[in-house]
């Protein structure tokens, strides 16, 4: 059951992802999807929507008729028990028609204010009373801060056990985010160097070209810290910094990630300005088109104090990482859409190549998450010719080039994981709670002080100057990501 089936997420991501799973044979004949939303629609109209969404996203849709025949629609009132009763009746009919063995997945792809109410109704009105499995998939935001997240969690837990709750962080479904673990733990050459003796710093960038679009109402209350840092950025940091798990199963991986989040040095009060930079985009031009300032966007206050950019320096206080800064930055209306991780290794102990008046570049391992997917290792090698000069060389691996296939969309992987009951790439409550307690201390300071310099970066740039200074203080700079 997809709650919010007429919404943007269902249309753009969920229907096409389900279709891809269907086409690959990963969805058997034994499935039915009930689209649940407020507006009245017939099954035919709903199936037409599904077809349109699939054909917009996918070129080849040979089995679209067969696929869409598994879709049904239920017009729903989220606060009305009668509405849940008729939904349950439809689910029971489809269960016997498609032989679903009583297995149910409830996907909440809608406004978060209803998450708690829906979960309670699902239980009270008997929808979770099934012989098979019952799983709840829930989209972000998971609360607005630690306190509201706890409240929401308590509501969900009255109807679902922790291992039945699949909290989506779509970055965990990205191919190259999943690759972090393999690069680290399947190679003999990186793990011995993966610590404060050999790594100078780590830089995680997730920049976007798009502005806030039509999400002003949500974004005004969220800002980049809640929207990107609390979840996606900290999840990537946890994967980069965790200890090797004793086994590659859900519990062991999650428990290592949780330890990283527990070791994250809290930044609060006066320290916030030394470790974090906030930005808000001004007007500017992106690929020669002019873009408005954030404060001119729809549903945004003309004197908004909301940040559309965050850069920060994180420290992980454990034996492996003591003293290694992990810099993160993310923002809207930046120069490029790019998510990249740069691991900068320490300089060699002595440079033998000074005679030629060159400084050696440090070794870098770059993990390209999107739009391109791959790995680059930056080395130094001999420049061809008579002299013994060193020159930078790059070893490149591009995912698409080698495998020759398009990597599956994050949502496709996550939906499939959920159907198979694998929660590894979903966030556990402990991770959510620790991430909120870290970002809450920063939000408290930012919300209680008006940033007089806003807007402080032009659209189409890589963010405010202060973000460069954050690294310059430590003798580093942001490696270009474009
Ligand atoms: C979402 C945020 O979680 O991630 C959006 O709410 C952001 O504001 C998006 O645009 C970025 O995701 P991606 O996959 O495009 O990097």
């Amino acid at each position: 059951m997809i709650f919010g089936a007429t919404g943007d997420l269902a249309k753009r991501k969920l229907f096409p992802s389900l279709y891809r799973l269907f086409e690959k044979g990963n969805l058997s004949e034994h499935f039915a999807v009930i689209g649940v939303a407020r507006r009245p629609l017939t099954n035919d109209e709903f199936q037409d929507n599904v077809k349109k969404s699939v054909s917009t996203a996918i070129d080849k849709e040979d089995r679209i008729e067969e696929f869409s025949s598994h879709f049904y629609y239920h017009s729903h009132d989220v606060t009305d028990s009668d509405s849940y009763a008729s939904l349950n009746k439809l689910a029971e009919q489809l269960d016997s028609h498609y032989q679903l063995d009583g297995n149910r997945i409830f996907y909440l792809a809608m406004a978060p204010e209803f998450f708690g109410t829906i979960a309670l109704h699902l239980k009270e009105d008997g929808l979770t009373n099934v012989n098979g499995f019952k799983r709840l998939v829930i989209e972000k935001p998971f609360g607005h801060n630690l306190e509201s997240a706890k409240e929401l969690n308590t509501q969900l837990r009255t109807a679902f056990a922790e291992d039945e709750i699949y909290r989506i962080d779509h970055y965990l479904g990205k191919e190259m985010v999943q690759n972090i673990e393999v690069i680290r733990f399947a190679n003999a050459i990186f793990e011995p160097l993966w610590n404060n003796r050999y790594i100078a710093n780590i830089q995680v960038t997730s920049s976007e070209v798009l502005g806030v679009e039509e999400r002003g109402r949500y974004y005004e209350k969220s800002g980049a810290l809640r929207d990107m840092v609390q979840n996606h950025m900290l999840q990537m940091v946890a994967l980069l910094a965790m200890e090797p798990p004793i086994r590659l199963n859900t519990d062991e991986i999650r428990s290592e990630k949780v330890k990283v989040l527990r070791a994250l040095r809290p930044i609060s009060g006066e320290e916030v300005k030394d470790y974090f930079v906030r930005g808000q985009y001004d007007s500017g031009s992106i690929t020669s088109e002019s873009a408005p300032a954030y404060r001119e966007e729809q549903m945004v206050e003309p004197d908004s104090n909301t940040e559309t950019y965050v850069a920060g320096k994180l420290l992980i206080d454990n034996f492996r990482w003591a003293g290694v800064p992990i810099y993160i930055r993310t923002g809207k209306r930046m120069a490029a859409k790019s998510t990249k991780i740069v691991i900068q290794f320490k300089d060699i102990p002595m440079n033998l190549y000074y005679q030629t008046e060159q400084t050696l570049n440090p070794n870098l391992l770059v993990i390209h998450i999107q739009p391109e997917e791959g790995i680059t290792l930056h080395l130094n090698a001999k420049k061809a010719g008579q002299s013994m000069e060193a020159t930078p060389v790059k070893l490149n691996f591009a995912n698409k080039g080698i495998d020759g296939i398009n990597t599956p969309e994050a949502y496709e992987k996550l939906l499939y994981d959920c159907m198979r009951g694998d929660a590894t790439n979903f966030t556990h409550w402990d991770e959510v709670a620790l991430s909120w307690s870290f970002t809450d201390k920063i939000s408290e300071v930012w919300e209680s002080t008006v940033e007089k310099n806003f807007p402080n970066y032009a659209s189409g740039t890589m963010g405010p100057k202060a973000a460069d200074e954050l690294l310059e203080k430590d003798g580093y700079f942001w490696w270009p990501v474009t």
Side-chain angles (χ1 to χ4, degrees):
M1 290 171 212
I2 301 178
F3 288 76
T6 52
D8 199 47
L9 182 77
K11 207 165 46 195
R12 279 189 313 114
K13 301 285 185 189
L14 304 183
F15 302 150
S17 298
L18 284 169
Y19 180 74
R20 285 197 197 92
L21 289 172
F22 178 71
E23 226 189 8
K24 285 181 187 163
N26 292 343
L27 260 185
S28 71
E29 292 304 305
H30 304 284
F31 83 96
V33 178
I34 307 179
V36 181
R38 197 167 34 183
R39 79 179 67 145
L41 281 184
T42 63
N43 284 343
D44 284 344
E45 284 167 328
F46 181 52
Q47 290 178 0
D48 279 344
N49 290 351
V50 172
K51 285 185 226 171
K52 264 187 231 139
S53 115
V54 173
S55 64
T56 312
I58 298 173
D59 294 339
K60 217 169 128 278
E61 359 113 26
D62 303 350
R63 295 178 64 201
I64 188 70
E65 290 299 330
E66 188 189 346
F67 172 74
S68 58
S69 71
H70 289 252
F71 284 68
Y72 297 79
Y73 188 77
H74 173 79
S75 163
H76 189 66
D77 174 350
V78 288
T79 57
D80 176 17
S81 283
D82 291 344
S83 195
Y84 287 89
S86 52
L87 175 59
N88 201 15
K89 212 152 143 211
L90 174 60
E92 279 164 2
Q93 283 164 8
L94 297 177
D95 194 310
S96 77
H97 182 72
Y98 290 98
Q99 298 153 38
L100 306 178
D101 292 341
N103 295 325
R104 285 184 186 176
I105 297 177
F106 306 93
Y107 197 125
L108 307 191
M110 57 186 304
E113 54 263 37
F114 299 117
F115 290 169
T117 313
I118 295 174
L120 290 178
H121 272 286
L122 290 177
K123 182 179 165 73
E124 279 164 14
D125 299 323
L127 280 96
T128 55
N129 191 11
V130 287
N131 296 327
F133 63 67
K134 59 179 197 310
R135 294 180 188 142
L136 179 76
V137 186
I138 184 162
E139 278 289 334
K140 68 181 270 260
F142 198 89
H144 181 69
N145 51 22
L146 180 57
E147 202 189 316
S148 55
K150 274 186 183 160
E151 210 172 286
L152 170 60
N153 205 45
T154 310
Q155 288 174 326
L156 301 183
R157 291 293 301 274
T158 56
F160 294 89
E162 173 63 30
D163 64 3
E164 293 171 330
I165 303 175
Y166 289 67
R167 297 178 194 82
I168 291 255
D169 183 314
H170 77 283
Y171 268 56
L172 296 181
K174 291 187 191 281
E175 183 69 20
M176 289 306 294
V177 172
Q178 298 190 352
N179 211 339
I180 295 173
E181 179 192 298
V182 186
I183 294 167
R184 289 190 54 196
F185 304 134
N187 291 298
I189 59 169
F190 296 125
E191 198 47 30
L193 308 182
W194 211 261
N195 56 50
N196 52 9
R197 268 170 291 152
Y198 299 101
I199 292 181
N201 71 75
I202 296 180
Q203 304 180 6
V204 185
T205 299
S206 193
S207 59
E208 293 185 75
V209 169
L210 289 182
V212 67
E213 310 291 286
E214 59 295 327
R215 293 163 78 216
R217 190 203 304 262
Y218 152 78
Y219 203 83
E220 274 286 88
K221 288 200 233 104
S222 157
L225 187 70
R226 291 190 173 92
D227 189 46
M228 292 291 291
V229 177
Q230 186 273 341
N231 36 70
H232 313 320
M233 302 301 279
L234 290 182
Q235 283 293 321
M236 288 192 279
V237 169
L239 289 168
L240 286 164
M242 72 179 181
E243 293 300 314
I246 54 171
R247 265 187 205 90
L248 286 181
N249 64 27
T250 309
D251 289 349
E252 298 301 341
I253 294 176
R254 282 172 159 185
S255 119
E256 294 306 336
K257 285 166 66 193
V258 164
K259 283 191 212 154
V260 174
L261 297 170
R262 286 204 338 241
L264 204 55
R265 187 182 302 174
I267 306 294
S268 59
E270 278 299 299
E271 294 167 329
V272 170
K273 65 174 179 349
D274 299 329
Y275 286 83
F276 274 82
V277 172
R278 53 177 157 163
Q280 188 190 74
Y281 63 82
D282 202 346
S283 55
S285 84
I286 296 193
T287 53
S288 68
E289 293 209 359
S290 66
Y294 175 68
R295 288 177 176 181
E296 293 160 22
E297 304 272 19
Q298 283 167 37
M299 317 292 287
V300 170
E301 292 296 321
D303 57 351
S304 172
N305 194 40
T306 302
E307 79 288 350
T308 61
Y309 175 101
V310 176
K313 170 176 165 178
L314 311 179
L315 291 169
I316 295 169
D317 289 326
N318 63 19
F319 254 56
R320 186 189 280 263
W321 294 113
V324 181
I326 302 185
Y327 303 108
I328 56 168
R329 61 175 167 169
T330 180
K332 297 215 178 272
R333 282 272 189 254
M334 292 172 67
K337 169 81 181 164
S338 172
T339 305
K340 274 195 182 55
I341 297 166
V342 179
I343 291 120
Q344 177 177 342
F345 290 90
K346 288 192 171 169
D347 290 338
I348 46 168
M350 187 185 136
N351 183 358
L352 291 170
Y353 296 91
Y354 272 134
Q355 306 97 303
T356 55
E357 285 184 7
Q358 53 178 324
T359 45
L360 285 180
N361 279 349
N363 293 132
L364 304 177
L365 172 68
V366 183
I367 304 176
H368 308 263
I369 310 256
Q370 61 185 16
E372 37 340 310
E373 297 181 349
I375 309 164
T376 308
L377 188 58
H378 294 236
L379 305 172
N380 295 301
K382 183 181 172 303
K383 196 170 175 183
Q386 190 65 38
S387 71
M388 282 304 283
E389 270 178 79
T391 188
V393 294
K394 289 184 196 171
L395 304 188
N396 262 324
F397 158 69
N399 225 10
K400 291 206 168 88
I402 300 281
D403 293 345
I405 50 162
N406 284 335
T407 53
E409 262 259 17
Y411 274 95
E412 183 184 333
K413 283 166 173 258
L414 295 175
L415 279 167
Y416 191 47
D417 281 351
C418 173
M419 288 174 202
R420 291 181 306 129
D422 181 351
T424 313
N425 292 314
F426 295 81
T427 35
H428 186 272
W429 164 245
D430 293 347
E431 297 169 67
V432 175
L434 286 162
S435 303
W436 276 127
S437 61
F438 180 78
T439 52
D440 276 358
K441 295 193 187 64
I442 300 158
S443 315
E444 271 163 31
V445 174
W446 284 355
E447 276 160 17
S448 60
T449 49
V450 172
E451 176 53 74
K452 293 191 205 72
N453 293 328
F454 274 178
N456 59 354
Y457 70 99
S459 286
T461 65
M462 282 311 279
K465 229 174 133 281
D468 296 336
E469 289 158 6
L470 185 72
L471 274 70
E472 279 161 19
K473 284 192 289 198
D474 297 340
Y476 301 126
F477 55 86
W478 292 105
W479 291 96
V481 295
T482 48

